[in-house]
Amino acid sequence: MFKPVRSLLRSSDPFENLFALQERINKVFNDLLPSTEFETTSRWIPAMDVYEKEGNIIIELEAPGIKEEDLKIKVEDGMLIINGERKFEKEDKKENYYRIERSYGSFSRSFSLPDNIEKDKIEAKYENGLLKITMPKKPESQPKEIPVNFVKESKK
């Protein structure tokens, strides 16, 4: 059921290892602890990817079936906060189903924003069940190549 932790450490991306380990630990605790009305996280945590492309940090979060009014994104105190809810809205009652494997309910994801992000230029787009958040990096934080001047040795 669980993969050994050492298998998580084989990847070359340290953040991937941390995210995978965090997801597994969250799942273990969410499965073991009883739900309360004060629960801050839900059992449904949408899968996501975080990567850098063309001077932007991009988050892609799989969240099919979410309505516009049920998805909120905000920047607050240096954090990017994503809140959403996927509701079970069938006319049939849940009791009539033999099996329900899709997850429903609310979720919340939050991330500390690095200082090199232009917070006022963050954009979000939701299309075909995929939420894509583009966070431009400040120009001064972009990689810059420094030319090297080679000085020819003079003959004495």
Side-chain angles (χ1 to χ4, degrees):
M1 183 168 143
F2 293 106
K3 294 181 183 175
V5 173
R6 70 174 173 253
S7 69
L8 293 173
L9 301 176
R10 291 183 188 157
S11 172
S12 62
D13 181 7
F15 292 109
E16 181 181 343
N17 295 336
L18 289 174
F19 288 136
L21 185 58
Q22 179 184 1
E23 296 277 334
R24 287 172 188 247
I25 290 170
N26 287 345
K27 181 170 178 18
V28 168
F29 282 105
N30 283 337
D31 289 345
L32 293 176
L33 297 175
S35 290
T36 68
E37 63 182 343
F38 302 107
E39 191 173 277
T40 57
T41 60
S42 71
R43 295 183 187 275
W44 179 49
I45 301 175
M48 67 168 208
D49 296 326
V50 180
Y51 59 95
E52 187 171 335
K53 182 178 180 184
E54 299 171 356
N56 298 301
I57 294 178
I58 298 171
I59 296 175
E60 290 183 340
L61 188 127
E62 290 181 353
I66 293 184
K67 294 183 177 179
E68 185 176 350
E69 63 268 15
D70 295 327
L71 183 62
K72 304 285 185 251
I73 302 168
K74 65 181 176 177
V75 174
E76 184 177 309
D77 296 327
M79 301 285 290
L80 176 72
I81 303 166
I82 307 167
N83 293 309
E85 183 175 8
R86 183 165 57 190
K87 296 176 181 173
F88 188 87
E89 294 185 2
K90 300 282 184 185
E91 282 188 29
D92 299 330
K93 294 182 181 179
K94 288 184 182 180
E95 296 88 36
N96 295 337
Y97 280 76
Y98 292 110
R99 184 177 202 110
I100 297 176
E101 291 187 353
R102 293 180 286 167
S103 298
Y104 296 92
S106 60
F107 71 90
S108 181
R109 306 286 310 251
S110 58
F111 309 91
S112 294
L113 292 173
D115 292 333
N116 65 344
I117 294 294
E118 295 192 63
K119 294 171 181 69
D120 56 336
K121 293 186 179 179
I122 295 174
E123 295 179 353
K125 180 174 80 170
Y126 181 83
E127 184 177 13
N128 296 326
L130 185 69
L131 173 64
K132 183 176 183 178
I133 301 171
T134 304
M135 300 179 289
K137 292 172 72 176
K138 293 178 181 174
E140 63 269 15
S141 69
Q142 302 292 335
K144 179 181 175 187
E145 190 171 321
I146 309 295
V148 178
N149 293 320
F150 284 86
V151 179
K152 293 184 180 181
E153 292 184 33
S154 60
K155 294 183 181 179
K156 292 185 182 182

